[in-house]
Amino acid sequence: MRSTVLAASILAVAIGGAGLALAQPMVRAAPVEKGASKATILPGYWEYDYKIGVIPVSNETKCLKPADAEQFSRGICTKRYRCDYTTNVVRDGKIALKGVWTDKKDRASPVTANGTYSPEAFKMDIHIKTINGMPLAGSLTAKRLSAECPAPEEKKAETAAK
């Protein structure tokens, strides 16, 4: 049971941070296929929901700048990992990623993600194998709340209200 809880925590960090890829620079990713559309998601104020299986793990909002939205086509990653994708297809409303996330201690975890996107929403099902070989599955769902991000004062008030 303890290993299951630990594994669930790892996936929560992995997919919980997945949205951070849109706000953090990518460390390394495979080039986007030729002919792939550059227009994927729109910048603005976004809400992210993370689940492990069917269990909700967290919910957060983020302000995506135009450069962050452009990062979307390069695949998910967090600042905790180096993400190398052998398959990186983000076009025509579909997402297909397959690769390896390597942590700062050079421990590798295979990962795949499949999903769909539109300019104002996306959903990805993520499958990862922990460094101990335990398979985990989760999902990341996001939707654009508005074209404009709230001022820092408004965001603090919104967070306090939750």
Side-chain angles (χ1 to χ4, degrees):
M1 177 69 178
R2 186 173 186 201
S3 64
T4 304
V5 172
L6 177 61
S9 298
I10 291 167
L11 184 62
V13 167
I15 68 171
L20 293 177
L22 303 175
Q24 301 290 334
M26 296 287 292
V27 177
R28 189 169 31 177
V32 177
E33 285 187 10
K34 286 184 180 180
S37 172
K38 287 187 178 185
T40 53
I41 62 172
L42 295 170
Y45 194 50
W46 285 74
E47 178 179 50
Y48 292 77
D49 291 302
Y50 310 101
K51 292 182 182 179
I52 296 176
V54 296
I55 302 167
V57 177
S58 70
N59 172 282
E60 65 181 325
T61 54
K62 296 180 187 207
C63 182
L64 298 183
K65 297 174 184 159
D68 302 327
E70 289 173 23
Q71 286 287 80
F72 184 77
S73 65
R74 294 190 186 109
I76 58 175
C77 196
T78 73
K79 63 183 178 183
R80 296 178 183 166
Y81 296 93
R82 181 178 69 242
C83 303
D84 299 304
Y85 292 107
T86 55
T87 300
N88 184 0
V89 179
V90 180
R91 71 168 182 233
D92 300 327
K94 297 195 183 332
I95 304 163
L97 303 169
K98 183 177 182 178
V100 176
W101 291 358
T102 306
D103 70 10
K104 293 178 182 181
K105 294 181 180 179
D106 284 332
R107 297 176 296 192
S109 297
V111 64
T112 60
N114 294 292
T116 58
Y117 71 90
S118 70
E120 296 196 355
F122 65 90
K123 181 180 187 322
M124 286 188 275
D125 293 318
I126 303 166
H127 300 270
I128 189 168
K129 199 172 270 191
T130 67
I131 58 173
N132 296 328
M134 181 178 208
L136 296 171
S139 66
L140 163 60
T141 305
K143 64 182 175 184
R144 185 173 183 235
L145 300 175
S146 68
E148 300 296 320
C149 295
E153 306 83 45
E154 292 175 43
K155 194 170 181 180
K156 285 180 187 175
E158 179 183 301
T159 304
K162 283 186 177 182

